[in-house]
Amino acid sequence: MHRLNPNILPLSGVMTPALVVDAVALEENIAGMALAAQRTGVALRPHAKTHKSPEIARRQLEAGAIGIACATIAEAEGMSAAGIGNLLITSPVVGRDKAARLAHLHRRSAMIAALDHSRQVEEIGAALTTADAPLSVLVDVDVGQARTGVVSIEDAVALAQHIRAEPRLRFAGLQAYAGNLQHLIDAQERQRAAAEAAKRVGDVVSRLQAEGLSASIVSGSGTGTSAFDSRGGPYTELQVGSYIFMDADYGRIRELDGTGLPYERALFVIATVVSVNRHGQVTVDAGTKALAVNGPMPDRFVGVANGSSYAFSGDEHGTIRLPPGAPQPSVGARVLIGVTHCDPTANLHPVYHVVRGDGTLALWPIVGRYGSAGIA
Amino acid sequence: MHRLNPNILPLSGVMTPALVVDAVALEENIAGMALAAQRTGVALRPHAKTHKSPEIARRQLEAGAIGIACATIAEAEGMSAAGIGNLLITSPVVGRDKAARLAHLHRRSAMIAALDHSRQVEEIGAALTTADAPLSVLVDVDVGQARTGVVSIEDAVALAQHIRAEPRLRFAGLQAYAGNLQHLIDAQERQRAAAEAAKRVGDVVSRLQAEGLSASIVSGSGTGTSAFDSRGGPYTELQVGSYIFMDADYGRIRELDGTGLPYERALFVIATVVSVNRHGQVTVDAGTKALAVNGPMPDRFVGVANGSSYAFSGDEHGTIRLPPGAPQPSVGARVLIGVTHCDPTANLHPVYHVVRGDGTLALWPIVGRYGSAGIA
């Protein structure tokens, strides 16, 4: 039996559907990754796109992380407003309005930006003034994901030189995120691919070095490849995200010894059984607006029999199929559902209901969702 | 060329990614469905789960709709706060807290609830007082979706009798939503299945009649089957939703004459090109947190060449593949992307950017997202 239970006192008053965090598992995950990094000497810059929570970022920093990664300006604004500094924005910042927001953040607390095109360098340079401290810039390198980043070594050198030539910017190193490798289930295949990506990044670092461009930061990796990327370089810091929550997707990932990743499920959606009229199944009030669709179906439940399964049944509903002979929950019964894919699930909700080790409940807001700072 | 263009003045200042509505198409869709209903004499109760927008609900009512359907108490609260009345909640309301919220709404403006279990009848009855006007209740009938609703005619009769016996409730009729049929692409198959569902609903209506229970409301249908359900009964009102926006999913649906549904695409996500380093493709800043994943890929674009295609590339990014020989957009170029699945896409954003016929921009808030009235 899981230590969380949907019927414990602090959860019984929560309107469903809602996000529930097991704070004990969360803290174990934060400590576990911090220890793993300490052992290998690599730094951590956990990615806030997973949680969008200043409370969680603060705990990651307290456990030794050197800073926080953000996917968007809005996430960085949410973190900064809560007093979290040392922020890297991992997606190229494009457009004068966003460059101005980046400059504004930078004046509060030194920012780092990852860019992949000269136009971004010019826009951000233009948004800063001579009174501003230089903003640190990483050249984003595409190591196979084909999403953002420069593709060739020559382009990496040219962009680094452009950054160096821009007086309001400071060339600080590279970013190389192999997002396409994080979810490879087979550990050997993942290790091999991660080594290949690391080799490409190392080649870029060497070539920059030969051009007199020193990459003091090499930022990359994720939960799936962190055990490999933490050893032997070239990464100086790991942008791990999902390890804090885990999910059905990362639940499938194997370590080299055949076990799963050494992190616990910490994120659940609490739902209410709203319909029980069909034999062997019940309907809960958590559908595609409560649980992200882009992941394997939930495979962990608390409050229904082991062996239950979940299927989406529209925007507001899911069907839980019960194993043969299992007792059917009543209308009004509550269920904890382990989430499909953690990042986009968290993005569907405004707040975490955090059940702490002493059984009390804390509410942690989720910040930086689209337009959350804007029109009501 | 679409009349909307991502570079027109009112859109050029919108931070991306964001929702854009073509108000001309929206108004044509509202008028088109209103006319179709008028011709057949059926009433419309458009479903607000699609838009969560009081501004759109108001336009639907002005075009003749008799009321609005809401999936959740939070949606109804958002509508009610904006002065929209005549609300039906289409999902069973479960739990004392939600029953109390329903009773509170009912005191502002008469509500209708669709229920499928005696426990819900008791909870809602208990939330009302003798000073309250009786609350109208529909028996929710499962016509094949296996989500909510009573399954047998006997259970429908028993629940209707229970409602009639509860002095604070009034038995008002049936709800029967065949959500599983709305997206059947083949019109003949959809028509046949809709007729079968309608027959089952008609049988329940007759049996209730024989028991002295008159179903003055029979609420159901959706955009996909509305043309069939509007004729010949048993529905008195249609809960059409998606027709206002359309999307890639409904774009595949056929009419009996082989044409598509007679409604235009009105909902887009505006995105910015943020990376252009790979030949034949660009990366935009709209991914799984901006566009719902549970639908076919976007197939309509404005701002990139005809024949382009879209693929998700993580939380914050999408890849637009360009047809051979097409010019590559620059970093900073803007694109309008026709949405995948309209309801859950709207739910990812806080506001619609509505481009009106005169080219001006209006901002319409999206209400009733989870916790939107709660902790901030």
Side-chain angles (χ1 to χ4, degrees):
Chain A
M1 186 62 175
H2 198 276
R3 75 185 140 241
L4 275 193
N5 180 315
N7 304 310
I8 56 175
L9 192 62
L11 289 179
S12 63
V14 173
M15 293 277 183
T16 61
L19 283 179
V20 170
V21 172
D22 177 344
V24 177
L26 175 76
E27 282 158 19
E28 285 175 7
N29 292 343
I30 291 174
M33 182 64 85
L35 186 64
Q38 237 172 36
R39 284 192 179 134
T40 56
V42 75
L44 295 182
R45 183 184 296 280
H47 212 307
K49 74 176 177 181
T50 301
H51 54 65
K52 294 179 183 273
S53 160
E55 291 285 345
I56 295 176
R58 189 170 294 121
R59 283 161 177 78
Q60 291 173 316
L61 292 167
E62 285 167 3
I66 59 164
I68 296 292
C70 296
T72 63
I73 293 279
E75 279 177 14
E77 287 167 343
M79 292 294 147
S80 180
I84 308 290
N86 299 317
L87 303 175
L88 160 65
I89 299 190
T90 58
S91 308
V93 172
V94 172
R96 278 190 298 181
D97 291 342
K98 285 189 179 164
R101 288 162 69 187
L102 174 62
H104 184 74
L105 281 168
H106 181 60
R107 284 169 201 130
R108 286 179 65 122
S109 175
M111 296 288 298
I112 312 175
L115 305 180
D116 77 356
H117 196 277
S118 276
R119 167 143 179 188
Q120 300 149 8
V121 172
E122 283 155 19
E123 278 179 343
I124 293 167
L128 296 162
T129 71
T130 49
D132 294 321
L135 188 145
S136 294
V137 175
L138 308 181
V139 169
D140 188 27
V141 178
D142 181 350
V143 285
Q145 191 173 22
R147 183 167 79 181
T148 65
V150 296
V151 179
S152 71
I153 292 193
E154 292 66 35
D155 285 349
V157 171
L159 191 60
Q161 286 169 335
H162 187 175
I163 293 162
R164 182 168 58 180
E166 169 57 63
R168 292 162 195 171
L169 304 180
R170 189 178 75 82
F171 172 73
L174 300 179
Q175 172 179 272
Y177 175 58
N180 49 319
L181 310 183
Q182 301 307 317
H183 299 267
L184 293 175
I185 292 172
D186 181 74
Q188 253 135 31
E189 187 188 350
R190 198 169 354 107
Q191 183 176 36
R192 188 201 51 71
E196 202 174 283
K199 165 83 171 58
R200 293 181 62 180
V201 181
D203 290 348
V204 181
V205 171
S206 304
R207 175 68 177 276
L208 287 168
Q209 193 71 46
E211 305 283 342
L213 288 151
S214 169
S216 54
I217 298 174
V218 181
S219 193
S221 196
T223 295
T225 61
S226 60
F228 312 130
D229 295 332
S230 61
R231 296 169 197 275
Y235 303 101
T236 63
E237 58 178 50
L238 308 185
Q239 295 177 7
V240 286
S242 305
Y243 75 101
I244 54 161
F245 288 150
M246 298 295 286
D247 55 25
D249 204 18
Y250 268 114
R252 304 182 301 179
I253 302 281
R254 301 284 91 192
E255 288 263 64
L256 285 172
D257 61 1
T259 61
L261 292 186
Y263 304 102
E264 270 194 77
R265 305 287 182 97
L267 187 63
F268 298 84
V269 164
I270 187 167
T272 299
V273 172
V274 297
S275 188
V276 299
N277 293 329
R278 293 238 176 200
H279 183 69
Q281 68 173 59
V282 296
T283 300
V284 293
D285 61 354
T288 65
K289 288 179 178 171
L291 278 163
V293 173
N294 59 337
M297 286 302 99
D299 57 352
R300 296 282 178 93
F301 304 93
V302 191
V304 291
N306 280 335
S308 294
S309 65
Y310 172 97
F312 285 104
S313 189
D315 288 355
E316 303 291 351
H317 298 100
T319 302
I320 294 183
R321 292 208 167 72
L322 305 163
Q328 190 159 33
S330 333
V331 169
R334 288 173 159 234
V335 186
L336 288 169
I337 303 170
V339 305
T340 48
H341 187 171
C342 54
D343 306 26
T345 295
N347 184 60
L348 293 168
H349 297 266
V351 68
Y352 297 107
H353 299 81
V354 183
V355 182
R356 293 179 289 204
D358 63 0
T360 61
L361 189 72
L363 299 181
W364 292 354
I366 294 171
V367 305
R369 298 202 295 161
Y370 296 143
S372 56
I375 303 105
Chain B
M1 184 64 175
H2 198 276
R3 75 184 142 243
L4 275 194
N5 179 315
N7 304 310
I8 56 175
L9 193 62
L11 289 179
S12 63
V14 173
M15 294 277 185
T16 60
L19 282 179
V20 171
V21 171
D22 177 345
V24 177
L26 175 76
E27 282 159 19
E28 285 175 7
N29 292 343
I30 291 174
M33 183 63 85
L35 187 63
Q38 236 173 37
R39 282 191 180 135
T40 57
V42 75
L44 295 181
R45 183 184 296 279
H47 212 307
K49 73 176 177 180
T50 301
H51 54 66
K52 294 179 183 275
S53 161
E55 290 286 344
I56 295 176
R58 189 170 294 120
R59 281 160 178 78
Q60 291 173 317
L61 292 168
E62 284 167 4
I66 59 164
I68 296 293
C70 295
T72 63
I73 292 279
E75 279 177 13
E77 287 168 342
M79 292 294 147
S80 180
I84 308 289
N86 298 317
L87 303 174
L88 160 66
I89 298 189
T90 58
S91 309
V93 172
V94 172
R96 277 190 297 180
D97 291 342
K98 285 189 180 166
R101 288 163 68 188
L102 174 63
H104 185 74
L105 281 168
H106 181 61
R107 284 170 201 129
R108 286 178 66 120
S109 175
M111 297 289 298
I112 311 174
L115 305 181
D116 78 356
H117 196 277
S118 276
R119 169 146 177 187
Q120 301 148 9
V121 172
E122 283 155 19
E123 278 179 341
I124 293 168
L128 296 162
T129 71
T130 48
D132 295 319
L135 187 143
S136 294
V137 175
L138 308 183
V139 170
D140 188 26
V141 178
D142 180 349
V143 285
Q145 191 173 21
R147 183 167 79 181
T148 65
V150 296
V151 180
S152 71
I153 291 192
E154 292 66 34
D155 284 349
V157 170
L159 191 60
Q161 286 170 335
H162 187 175
I163 293 162
R164 182 169 59 181
E166 170 56 63
R168 291 162 196 171
L169 305 180
R170 190 178 75 81
F171 171 73
L174 300 179
Q175 172 180 271
Y177 175 57
N180 49 320
L181 310 183
Q182 301 307 317
H183 298 267
L184 293 175
I185 292 173
D186 181 73
Q188 252 135 30
E189 187 189 350
R190 198 171 352 110
Q191 182 176 36
R192 188 200 52 70
E196 202 175 282
K199 164 84 170 59
R200 293 180 62 181
V201 181
D203 289 349
V204 181
V205 171
S206 303
R207 175 67 177 276
L208 287 168
Q209 193 71 47
E211 305 282 343
L213 288 152
S214 170
S216 53
I217 298 174
V218 180
S219 192
S221 196
T223 295
T225 61
S226 59
F228 312 129
D229 294 333
S230 61
R231 295 168 196 277
Y235 303 101
T236 63
E237 58 178 49
L238 309 185
Q239 295 177 6
V240 285
S242 305
Y243 75 102
I244 54 160
F245 288 150
M246 298 295 285
D247 55 24
D249 204 18
Y250 267 114
R252 304 183 301 180
I253 301 282
R254 302 283 92 192
E255 287 264 65
L256 284 173
D257 61 1
T259 62
L261 292 186
Y263 304 101
E264 271 195 74
R265 304 288 182 95
L267 187 63
F268 298 84
V269 164
I270 186 166
T272 299
V273 172
V274 297
S275 188
V276 299
N277 293 329
R278 295 238 174 199
H279 182 70
Q281 69 173 57
V282 296
T283 300
V284 294
D285 61 353
T288 65
K289 289 179 178 171
L291 279 163
V293 174
N294 59 337
M297 286 303 99
D299 58 351
R300 296 281 177 93
F301 305 92
V302 191
V304 290
N306 280 336
S308 295
S309 66
Y310 173 97
F312 285 104
S313 189
D315 287 355
E316 302 291 351
H317 298 100
T319 301
I320 294 183
R321 294 211 163 72
L322 305 163
Q328 190 160 34
S330 330
V331 169
R334 289 175 157 232
V335 186
L336 288 168
I337 303 170
V339 305
T340 48
H341 187 171
C342 54
D343 306 26
T345 295
N347 184 60
L348 293 168
H349 297 266
V351 69
Y352 297 106
H353 299 81
V354 183
V355 181
R356 293 181 288 204
D358 62 1
T360 62
L361 190 71
L363 300 180
W364 293 354
I366 294 171
V367 305
R369 298 200 296 161
Y370 296 143
S372 57
I375 303 108

